[in-house]
Amino acid sequence: MEIRVSGHQVETGDALKDHVDTRLQGMAEKYFSRAISAQVTFGQGPNGGFSCDIVAHVMQGLVLKGRHDAPDAHLAFDGAAEKIEKQLRRYMRRLKDRNAGQAQALAENGAYDNLDNAGYTLFAERIGEDEEHDAPLIIAETRVDVPDATVSDAVMMLDLRNTNALLFKNSGTGSYNMVYRRGDGTIGWVEPQRAG
């Protein structure tokens, strides 16, 4: 697995790079023999500490993200790596719980391809305007491919993407649905009412 370690206004020494490489290579060998790449970025965290962001491309279409802040760079990495490993364990458990043949067929048909090719646009923020607006300003626009998936696959993608909401085309009904993370941690599912 290709691992890139970088620092944003932080020096990354050889000991830290070795620690990152050893831990991520071990995770890759344990869960996926053909992991693609990982980008580890260290930065300045709150209160003079460190932050660590990990973006791991485990297989085509499967991107895991983890972030952690700590007073030490090694601890920040370990916290972020633990989040990635927890996501991997959850993913592997779900794959085992499902029919193995169904998961294999979905992967071979490209159901998980192109899940991370989102385009993102951030508009200029207007600070200090005193005008009253009838509706809130739109400050960001995201374009993504809408995956064709079952509800359980959509929930798995929601967890793996570490996001709050996912729009998908329900492979059972052909209609667009949404799953989202509720405030209490449970998952909500929105399905349009069928004309009948």
Side-chain angles (χ1 to χ4, degrees):
M1 173 167 75
E2 178 188 345
I3 300 172
R4 289 173 295 192
V5 179
S6 60
H8 182 67
Q9 298 176 346
V10 171
E11 289 292 324
T12 56
D14 290 336
L16 182 60
K17 289 179 181 178
D18 289 342
H19 178 66
V20 167
D21 190 68
T22 302
R23 176 90 187 259
L24 290 180
Q25 293 290 2
M27 285 171 38
E29 290 172 11
K30 183 176 180 180
Y31 294 103
F32 290 97
S33 59
R34 288 182 277 156
I36 300 171
S37 67
Q39 172 68 42
V40 181
T41 306
F42 291 92
Q44 294 179 346
N47 302 323
F50 293 88
S51 67
C52 178
D53 290 292
I54 302 173
V55 178
H57 296 265
V58 180
M59 55 190 255
Q60 186 169 352
L62 179 58
V63 179
L64 304 175
K65 298 177 183 177
R67 176 183 173 82
H68 191 73
D69 297 319
D72 177 72
H74 289 268
L75 294 175
F77 168 74
D78 288 338
E82 182 59 38
K83 291 175 183 177
I84 295 285
E85 194 161 14
K86 183 178 179 181
Q87 292 172 4
L88 281 171
R89 281 194 304 266
R90 196 179 301 155
Y91 175 73
M92 296 306 289
R93 185 172 49 243
R94 285 190 176 147
L95 281 183
K96 287 178 184 176
D97 290 345
R98 292 179 52 203
N99 181 343
Q102 180 186 8
Q104 181 75 16
L106 285 172
E108 288 173 0
N109 291 333
Y112 302 123
D113 292 350
N114 301 321
L115 293 183
D116 63 336
N117 62 349
Y120 186 78
T121 305
L122 185 63
F123 297 102
E125 185 176 352
R126 296 186 176 133
I127 300 173
E129 287 190 4
D130 294 333
E131 294 180 25
E132 291 288 326
H133 295 284
D134 292 338
L137 293 174
I138 298 172
I139 60 166
E141 172 186 307
T142 304
R143 294 179 189 215
V144 296
D145 289 332
V146 178
D148 190 11
T150 64
V151 176
S152 62
D153 285 343
V155 171
M156 182 172 57
M157 287 182 227
L158 179 77
D159 281 343
L160 293 174
R161 290 180 177 186
N162 199 17
T163 187
N164 291 327
L166 176 73
L167 177 69
F168 68 101
K169 186 174 180 183
N170 190 324
S171 59
T173 64
S175 63
Y176 289 96
N177 290 197
M178 178 179 282
V179 288
Y180 63 96
R181 190 169 314 284
R182 297 165 46 108
D184 61 359
T186 59
I187 302 294
W189 172 25
V190 178
E191 182 176 27
Q193 186 172 2
R194 296 182 194 161

